[in-house]
Amino acid sequence: MSRPVPASSSSPTTILARWPTANSQTAIALLVRRLTGNGVNGTNSSRRAIQIRPFRLPNGSNNSGKLTGEKRKEGGRNLFVVRALSEREHMAVFVEDPTAPSRSAWKGKEKMAIDGEAPGETIFEHTKPPHTRWSCCTLGGATQSSPLATLFDAFLQRVLLGGGPSSNSPNVGAWIPRSTAVSIEGWSCLFGATGGTAGDWEIKVGQVSIKGGAAGGTTRGILIEATYLPVPYLPVGSTFVKDYVTTLLPPQAITAGEISWTSLDDERCFEAGLLEAPDPETGYYKEWEWTESHSALAYVQMFQKEGLL
């Protein structure tokens, strides 16, 4: 028996516009002119830096360094550490295992077992697997002077890389850092503040660069992240935020297809563990508000698609 696809109850108030072919200096200067062209000055401007470090766990090994006894049909697991530093530090870790089931798959089987639609099978055969295709862990709330970053570095070195700072090589089965990382460096600013309000828009702009490897030191255009602040979410299918960002970009770049747009729908958030399963009665996902963890997931999946991670 087929089941209806879970439905969305809202749209996020944040969208990412990626312009990979842009000259970062001239493009960012253009954005500043257009944002302030009507005499609207930004408030609470701050610098921000984001680094995305990819790791991999080779085939046939696990985090304990032992062979699993079965060969994976696809290449190992991928791990992405996203560290965002502005006024406070936020870190997210995403693990992708291409061989693990999706959250939707095991939820669907579990539901069928509960409803008795899987003859001869019990619910115990459809319990949650050790992990699904995407797993997420976040750390946040620290300031730049907090020791959180130091502790996290120790975690990367000892747990992921398999040893302390004196280790010359990782242990067998340890996560192996890939040769390149992605860096985003720029600023964040609020616009449209009146009467003591926070403002209507938060705009984040950054230059995308490659760190390490043969392409290390090269720039890959810019990234714009825009959030509409007055409401936590928008009606389903709303293009309000995208339409606003479109007014900041050169029409010729949009016409030529140089701009790609990224946001997150309910299904992607659910698969990454950032959203609960849809309501079994209504079939709708709960309304949700965009957070830094959603931005981190969007960065990872966007740069994966571009082949930068």
Side-chain angles (χ1 to χ4, degrees), residues 89-213:
E89 188 164 7
H90 179 272
M91 289 170 281
V93 179
F94 295 95
V95 178
E96 180 193 25
D97 184 350
T99 65
S102 67
R103 297 187 80 204
S104 297
W106 71 258
K107 276 289 185 181
K109 291 181 179 180
E110 184 179 62
K111 175 68 174 168
M112 291 178 66
I114 293 174
D115 293 347
E117 296 176 10
E121 298 178 344
T122 69
I123 187 173
F124 301 105
E125 295 175 296
H126 300 292
T127 54
K128 184 177 179 180
H131 63 272
T132 51
R133 175 159 186 163
W134 283 93
S135 302
C136 171
C137 177
T138 61
L139 298 172
T143 63
Q144 295 184 33
S145 60
S146 169
L148 178 59
T150 301
L151 293 174
F152 197 76
D153 284 332
F155 164 74
L156 289 177
Q157 185 65 48
R158 297 178 184 278
V159 180
L160 297 184
L161 306 184
S166 61
S167 297
N168 295 321
S169 61
N171 292 340
V172 175
W175 290 95
I176 300 174
R178 294 186 182 272
S179 59
T180 60
V182 175
S183 173
I184 308 170
E185 297 182 7
W187 49 264
S188 172
C189 200
L190 301 178
F191 290 89
T194 57
T197 62
D200 292 333
W201 296 94
E202 181 179 24
I203 306 296
K204 301 174 182 177
V205 179
Q207 171 184 277
V208 178
S209 305
I210 304 299
K211 304 294 185 182

Side-chain angles (χ1 to χ4, degrees), residues 23 74 167 182 238:
N23 178 298
E74 302 179 51
S167 297
V182 175
S238 173

Side-chain angles (χ1 to χ4, degrees), residues 257-270:
E258 297 179 16
I259 311 297
S260 60
W261 304 90
T262 299
S263 191
L264 295 177
D265 56 24
D266 293 343
E267 189 68 18
R268 288 169 69 184
C269 293
F270 171 66

Side-chain angles (χ1 to χ4, degrees), residues 284-304:
Y284 282 86
Y285 287 103
K286 291 183 178 180
E287 295 169 332
W288 54 276
E289 187 171 355
W290 190 282
T291 67
E292 291 173 291
S293 296
H294 295 92
S295 293
L297 175 64
Y299 301 152
V300 167
Q301 295 188 345
M302 175 178 59
F303 291 129
Q304 270 190 304

